[in-house]
């Protein structure tokens, strides 16, 4: 939701109309990556803090330092904060800005994937490992080779393969890359040119590295053409996620400066994906970031907004609501503040 509209919001009335309430309120949490491990929902969010850093388009005011893990009891709906799972001071290669993470599970081990800036100001993605879904997580000494930009999302396919999706423009630095190579002079395409695309790489068997060169995944319009940079209501900005439903692959993402969560549908993990519509309308706060988690026979959307902080865009709170796939395979759009 645009910043200039927040001054007119009655937050008491807004919260009365909200389709869900914050899962935790003692800390600020955002960018929720939710997974169903061993019969319980675990959420791996960012941990928002007040940094007193001036706002800018690069997101410098998002100065997160650590990660907490939140679990949700299926019966009571009660959420539990399991405390600090990983702190930036424990990551040898990272200096600051522990942004949106994700997690995966394999053979009794749990893997926390996270972006952070190195001392040169460039984002890379790291991984930390634990014997417990709640941590603490022990980071690998170096970032994942060949990783860059932000918002890792690791998808486990039915054949046991794992794929990482990542990327984000503006502060996420994706616009500085072409063919996986950084050049400070690179910028966004022109409005009439194809938009920058999210990135995918298959993981090694130990889930610690990429097993292949990262590659772009195509998001196409109804005519089979790449979405254009000027198509701000549909083009990729950040916040990759992947889930599977009825044999189809659903790649979902944020449009950033237009504040939508959208999705596109494909037939394999690499795409191409054809734009399908919106999952979530704009929330309070500038950013929108989500995950989709299957719990038995139901799907849930996890997202955040800034209603608890009364519109402070870098102090957000994680929420959840049931997600509906319609008979034709499309997803029913959710309005976050109307019942």
């Amino acid at each position: 939701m645009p910043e200039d509209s927040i001054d007119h919001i009655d937050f008491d009335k807004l919260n009365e109309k909200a389709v869900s309430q914050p899962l935790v309120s003692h800390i600020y949490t955002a960018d929720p990556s939710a997974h169903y491990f061993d019969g319980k929902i675990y959420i791996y969010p960012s941990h928002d803090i007040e940094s007193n850093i001036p706002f800018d388009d690069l997101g410098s005011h998002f100065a997160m330092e650590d990660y907490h893990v939140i679990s949700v009891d299926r019966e009571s709906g009660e959420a539990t904060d399991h405390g600090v799972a990983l702190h930036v001071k424990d990551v040898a290669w990272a200096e600051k800005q522990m942004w949106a993470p994700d997690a995966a599970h394999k053979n009794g081990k749990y893997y926390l994937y996270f972006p952070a800036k190195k001392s040169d100001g460039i984002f890379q993605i790291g991984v930390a490992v634990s014997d417990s879904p709640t941590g603490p997580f022990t980071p690998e000494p170096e970032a994942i080779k060949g990783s860059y930009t932000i918002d890792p999302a690791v998808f486990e396919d039915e054949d046991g393969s794992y794929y990482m999706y990542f990327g984000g423009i503006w502060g996420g630095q994706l616009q500085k890359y072409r063919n996986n190579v950084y050049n400070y002079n690179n910028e966004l395409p022109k409005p009439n040119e194809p938009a920058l695309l999210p990135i995918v790489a298959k993981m090694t068997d130990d889930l610690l590295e990429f097993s292949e060169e990262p590659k772009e995944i195509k998001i196409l319009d109804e005519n089979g053409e790449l979405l254009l940079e000027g198509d701000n209501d549909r083009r990729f900005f950040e916040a990759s996620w992947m889930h599977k439903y009825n044999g189809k692959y659903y790649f979902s993402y944020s449009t950033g400066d237009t504040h939508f969560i959208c999705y596109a549908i494909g037939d394999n993990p690499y795409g191409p994906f054809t734009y399908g519509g919106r999952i979530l309308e704009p929330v309070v706060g500038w950013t929108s970031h989500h995950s989709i988690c299957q719990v038995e026979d139901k799907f849930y959307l996890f997202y955040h907004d800034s209603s608890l902080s009364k519109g402070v865009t870098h102090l957000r709170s994680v929420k959840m609501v049931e997600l509906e796939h319609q008979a034709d395979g499309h997803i029913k759009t959710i309005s976050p503040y109307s019942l």
Side-chain angles (χ1 to χ4, degrees):
M1 184 176 291
E3 294 288 339
D4 57 7
S5 65
I6 288 177
D7 292 340
H8 307 289
I9 292 176
D10 183 327
F11 283 97
D12 291 333
K13 289 184 178 179
L14 181 89
N15 288 325
E16 288 176 2
K17 294 183 178 180
V19 297
S20 63
Q21 298 299 319
L23 291 175
V24 296
S25 57
H26 65 292
I27 60 174
Y28 290 110
T29 54
D31 312 319
S33 292
H35 293 272
Y36 189 52
F37 294 145
D38 305 319
K40 183 176 284 190
I41 299 169
Y42 293 93
I43 306 167
Y44 300 85
S46 304
H47 176 203
D48 284 352
I49 58 173
E50 180 52 78
S51 63
N52 294 312
I53 294 173
F55 288 22
D56 62 33
D57 285 342
L58 299 180
S60 301
H61 46 295
F62 294 101
M64 299 85 103
E65 298 176 346
D66 63 24
Y67 298 109
H68 289 227
V69 180
I70 309 295
S71 65
V72 179
D73 184 84
R74 281 191 65 202
E75 298 299 324
S76 67
E78 181 179 354
T80 301
D81 174 7
H82 296 274
V84 175
L86 179 68
H87 195 283
V88 68
K89 64 179 172 49
D90 298 319
V91 183
W93 60 268
E95 181 178 77
K96 60 183 179 180
Q97 289 183 288
M98 304 281 272
W99 285 9
D102 192 20
H105 170 247
K106 185 178 182 181
N107 296 334
K109 295 286 186 180
Y110 298 86
Y111 301 82
L112 181 68
Y113 299 92
F114 58 94
K117 276 186 180 175
K118 302 177 296 179
S119 58
D120 61 3
I122 305 299
F123 273 110
Q124 271 198 276
I125 296 169
V127 57
V129 186
S130 178
D131 292 323
S132 166
T134 59
F137 289 85
T138 301
E140 293 293 297
E142 297 180 358
I144 296 172
K145 297 181 186 66
S147 69
Y148 57 96
T149 186
I150 61 168
D151 292 355
V154 176
F155 167 71
E156 178 186 359
D157 208 349
E158 293 166 346
D159 65 357
S161 299
Y162 290 75
Y163 302 84
M164 180 185 288
Y165 300 84
F166 58 96
I169 62 175
W170 293 18
Q173 303 175 343
L174 181 61
Q175 69 274 13
K176 300 298 183 181
Y177 290 84
R178 299 294 187 272
N179 299 316
N180 302 320
V181 177
Y182 180 91
N183 185 328
Y184 179 80
N185 294 317
N186 288 334
E187 295 296 345
L188 290 169
K190 296 177 181 178
N192 62 347
E193 295 177 339
L196 293 179
L197 297 169
I199 312 296
V200 63
K202 192 174 184 180
M203 305 297 294
T204 54
D205 287 342
D206 62 8
L207 302 189
L208 299 179
E209 298 286 349
F210 297 154
S211 68
E212 62 184 4
E213 196 80 9
K215 60 192 70 175
E216 294 178 333
I217 59 173
K218 295 179 179 178
I219 304 176
L220 308 177
D221 65 16
E222 61 278 11
N223 299 314
E225 301 293 333
L226 288 170
L227 295 180
L228 300 181
E229 174 60 25
D231 190 355
N232 296 58
D233 285 349
R234 299 193 296 176
R235 63 91 173 87
F236 172 79
F237 189 102
E238 63 186 1
S240 298
W241 192 260
M242 178 68 74
H243 78 281
K244 201 169 182 179
Y245 177 75
N246 280 355
K248 294 288 187 179
Y249 294 82
Y250 288 70
F251 178 78
S252 48
Y253 58 95
S254 170
T255 62
D257 55 349
T258 52
H259 319 290
F260 301 116
I261 297 294
C262 296
Y263 69 97
I265 304 174
D267 294 320
N268 70 77
Y270 295 105
F273 299 93
T274 300
Y275 180 84
R278 296 175 186 170
I279 296 175
L280 184 67
E281 298 287 0
V283 298
V284 170
W286 197 93
T287 68
S288 195
H289 196 119
H290 73 298
S291 64
I292 295 168
C293 181
Q294 183 174 2
V295 180
E296 306 299 343
D297 60 346
K298 292 186 176 182
F299 287 81
Y300 293 90
L301 176 73
F302 293 78
Y303 64 103
H304 68 233
D305 74 5
S306 297
S307 58
L308 185 65
S309 66
K310 298 189 184 302
V312 180
T313 201
H314 61 284
L315 299 178
R316 301 160 292 182
S317 299
V318 167
K319 299 181 171 186
M320 65 179 288
V321 66
E322 189 170 345
L323 182 87
E324 180 183 340
H325 294 86
Q326 297 175 315
D328 63 0
H330 285 85
I331 294 173
K332 184 178 180 181
T333 304
I334 296 169
S335 178
Y337 307 111
S338 60
L339 297 175

